[in-house]
Structures are given as structure tokens and as C-alpha cells.
Amino acid sequence: KTAMQIVEIMKVMEARHPVVMATRASAEKSAEIQAALPQATYFEMARICAIQPSVPLAIRPGKLSILTAGTADLPVAEEAAVTAELCGFQVTRLWDVGVAGIHRLLSNRHVIDQSDVLIVAAGMEGALPSVVAGLADCPVVAVPTSVGYGASFNGLAPLLTMLNSCATGIG
């Protein structure tokens, strides 16, 4: 969509909903949107341009934590985190806790134990969601990313790893 198409959509939605988001928005496109809608905010890492309510939404119950295997997974994880926050959830972020340095994950075990839902983003071989699901007693949403080199095949390898996981509670 063009920036002006997004502006028109956001105007209509703003009249009906407290939160309006345009995802996968480039900085350039968001600048055009913000020129027409100065109330819009751009979240650069998440690539989200959003209109938020003037009064924050009530905080929703539950503890949501989002984890990444590496720093290259941050844009995908931040998209999930910002979306959840805009919808009223409190989010705990654990970045760069992949299996290549499992001590970083294990030193944050308390976050896993206290979470009601975990979103785990991983590229490369996509092993982190399975490891986390093996430690957690809550649902784990596995999110493959297209980062990585070698045989990651633009995200296909982590997707297949996640689909083939034998850990319970993973989706």
C-alpha cells in the first residue's frame, strides 16, 4: 500500500478503534504517514506506525515474555512486543538468549517460570523454541525468522525445526 492509502485506512479505523497499526512500515513511509497524521508514532525496530489512545489502555492480565535466539531476530520480536504493548499487555523482553550460549537462557529461568505465554523468535536452525518449551509449563509460540546463513534457507530450516519439535505446548 502507498503511504496515502495507509493514511486513509488509519483515519477510518481511528474513528472506530483505540489502537491502529500499520505493520512492516519503512521509516520513509512512516514519515509520510506522520506528516498526514501527526498523532501517529513510529516504532523503528518493530517497523510499526501506530495511533495510540490518548489514555493508555487498561493493563491486561497475564505475563507475556518474548525471547530471541540472537540479535538478528530483534525486528520480528519487537514487532510482536510492540503489538502486544499497544494492545495493553506488559511484555518482558529477553534478547540474545539462544542455544549457542545456553547459560544466558538458563540465567533467566525465572522469567520463563513466571510467564503465562512465551513468544520465541529464532532463525538459523530454530532450536530455541523447543528448548524453552522443554523448560516451560505455559504455551510457547514459536516464530521462525529468515535470518541466518548456511543451510537456514531463508527461514525454512527454523520453520521445519519448530514444526518437528517434540516439546509439549509449542505452536
Side-chain angles (χ1 to χ4, degrees):
K1 294 182 179 39
T2 67
M4 289 306 109
Q5 289 170 328
I6 295 169
V7 165
E8 292 306 313
I9 292 167
M10 291 180 91
K11 283 180 182 177
V12 170
M13 291 182 74
E14 183 180 23
R16 297 183 175 116
H17 302 283
V19 176
V20 180
M21 293 183 287
T23 60
R24 302 294 169 108
S26 67
E28 297 79 20
K29 194 170 283 189
S30 289
E32 291 181 60
I33 294 167
Q34 288 176 300
L37 299 170
Q39 70 274 33
T41 303
Y42 184 56
F43 299 88
E44 185 175 4
M45 178 69 74
R47 299 169 296 172
I48 292 175
C49 190
I51 298 173
Q52 304 171 66
S54 55
V55 177
L57 297 175
I59 295 173
R60 295 185 182 268
K63 295 184 180 186
L64 172 64
S65 297
I66 303 178
L67 293 72
T68 68
T71 54
D73 304 310
L74 285 175
V76 172
E78 266 301 306
E79 183 178 5
V82 170
T83 298
E85 288 171 339
L86 288 170
C87 292
F89 291 96
Q90 290 185 312
V91 174
T92 299
R93 292 165 168 84
L94 288 180
W95 296 164
D96 200 20
V97 293
V99 297
I102 195 81
H103 63 283
R104 297 183 306 244
L105 177 66
L106 297 177
S107 67
N108 286 288
R109 176 74 191 260
H110 63 283
V111 174
I112 294 168
D113 294 340
Q114 295 169 357
S115 296
D116 296 306
V117 175
L118 294 155
I119 298 173
V120 184
M124 298 295 291
E125 80 289 342
L128 184 62
S130 294
V131 172
V132 170
L135 297 170
D137 64 355
C138 65
V140 175
V141 179
V143 181
T145 67
S146 58
V147 300
Y149 48 84
S152 70
F153 298 109
N154 294 319
L156 180 60
L159 171 64
L160 293 174
T161 297
M162 293 171 193
L163 289 172
N164 289 313
S165 176
C166 63
T168 58
I170 194 169

